[in-house]
Amino acid sequence: MQVHRIELPTPFPVGPVNVYLLDGEPLTLVDAGPKTPEAQAALEEGLARAGRRVEEIRRLILTHGHTDHFGNAMWIRARSGAEIYAHPADQPKIAGERWIIDHLRRHFILSGLPESFLGGFMDRMRAMRPLFDPVTEFQPLSDGGTVEIAGDGWRVLHCPGHSLGHVCLFHLEGTLIAGDLLLGDVSPNPLVEFTAEGRRIATLPRYLHSLRRILLLNCERAHPGHGGTIGNPGARIRELISHHEQRKEEIYRLLGRQPKTLFELAAELYQNLDEINVMLALSEVIGHLDLLAEEKRVSAIRRGVAFGFRPR
Ligand SMILES: [Zn+2]
Ligand SMILES: [Zn+2]
C-alpha cells in the first residue's frame, strides 16, 4: 500500500500540515489542509509528483475537524466531485457552528480570563473563518468500519480526545495514519469541547484512553498530521502518557488552600500567555484537572463569576 505524504503550508504556529494520498481505486486523500492559495498550490504540486491531479480524487477522509486539516475539503469536492467522509462527532466543527464560539466565550469567563484576552481571542476566532468552507454534507465514518482501496482494507478507529470526532486509519501491515492523535515533536493537546447545549466534555481522559487503545495495536509506523513518520509509535505513546502523568502532578502541586481560577493556574504554568496560546494553556490545565477530578483529588468552588479549584 503506497502512502504519499504531501506537506502543505499553514498560517498557524503549528507549521505545515500533512495530507496523505492513498494511491489506488478509488483515489483517496486523507485530510485537506487549510483553505489558502499556498496550501492549494502545494497540494496540486504534491499530487503531480505522484502523477495525480485534484480532479481524480474520489474520496476525501477527514481525520478531524480542525481548520488546518479540513479547510480545503469543499474546494477539493468542487474540483473533483469527491465524497467527503468524517466522523459525525466533528460535524459541528466542520460545519462551523456558531455555538462553539459562544460556549468558548462563556467558558473563558468562568475561567477568570481577563477582558483584554477575551477580545483578542474572539478576534482570532473570527480571523479563522476565511480559512475553511463549512462542510455541510458528508458520509459518516464509524469505529470499526473499513475503507477499501484497490482491494486493500484500512480499519477506521474512532480515537476521541484531541478532537471528539478524531479518527485514525490502521492497516494490518502495521501502518497507522494518525492525524493529530500522535505527533513526533509536540504533545497534541486536547482542546476544550462542549455539547451543543453547552456542557463541557472532558477531553484529556478520552485522549489518554484513545492512546492506550492504539498502543495495543503494536503499530510499526505512524504517519502523523504534522512532521515526519514516527518509526516507533509505541515508544512515543508511552512518552506522551507519562508526560501527562507528570503534568497532572505538577498542576496538583500548584493548588493551594485559596481556590485558583483556570487562568491563574495557566499563568503560573506559562510565563508568556497571550491571546494565541491562552486557549492551549487553559485546555492543558482543565484537562489535567479533569484527570485529578476522576481521582477525586480536586474540587471546584464558585469565585465571583469564575470557578476556583483547590485540593479535596
Ligand atoms: Zn488538530
Ligand atoms: Zn493539526
Side-chain angles (χ1 to χ4, degrees), residues 107 111 200 202-205 244 247-256 260-266 269 281-301 307-312:
H107 172 71
S111 304
R200 193 178 61 79
T203 48
L204 184 56
H244 285 295
R247 204 61 164 156
K248 180 182 75 185
E249 296 306 328
E250 198 180 334
I251 288 171
Y252 185 72
R253 285 194 295 273
L254 293 179
L255 301 173
K260 292 178 184 173
T261 65
L262 287 178
F263 181 74
E264 286 166 348
L265 289 165
L269 269 186
L282 290 178
S283 296
E284 169 102 354
V285 174
I286 192 73
H288 293 92
L289 289 174
D290 284 338
L291 296 177
L292 289 164
E294 280 190 343
E295 297 170 6
K296 304 202 185 323
R297 293 168 68 196
V298 66
S299 53
I301 293 115
F307 274 97
F309 294 85
R310 69 175 180 208
R312 259 176 89 142

Side-chain angles (χ1 to χ4, degrees), residues 182 215 218-219 230-242:
L182 204 55
L215 188 60
N218 287 321
C219 302
I230 299 167
N232 187 347
R236 182 64 184 138
I237 291 173
R238 278 187 283 272
E239 230 171 65
L240 286 168
I241 291 173
S242 79

Side-chain angles (χ1 to χ4, degrees), residues 17 64 66 68-69 162 180 226:
V17 65
H64 64 295
H66 288 165
D68 49 338
H69 296 259
H162 173 75
D180 283 357
H226 305 271

Side-chain angles (χ1 to χ4, degrees), residues 6 89 98 107 128 176 180-182 185 199 205 258-261 307 312:
I6 303 173
R98 254 306 309 175
H107 172 71
M128 298 273 271
L176 185 77
D180 283 357
L181 180 80
L182 204 55
D185 303 327
R199 189 173 53 80
Q258 276 303 322
K260 292 178 184 173
T261 65
F307 274 97
R312 259 176 89 142

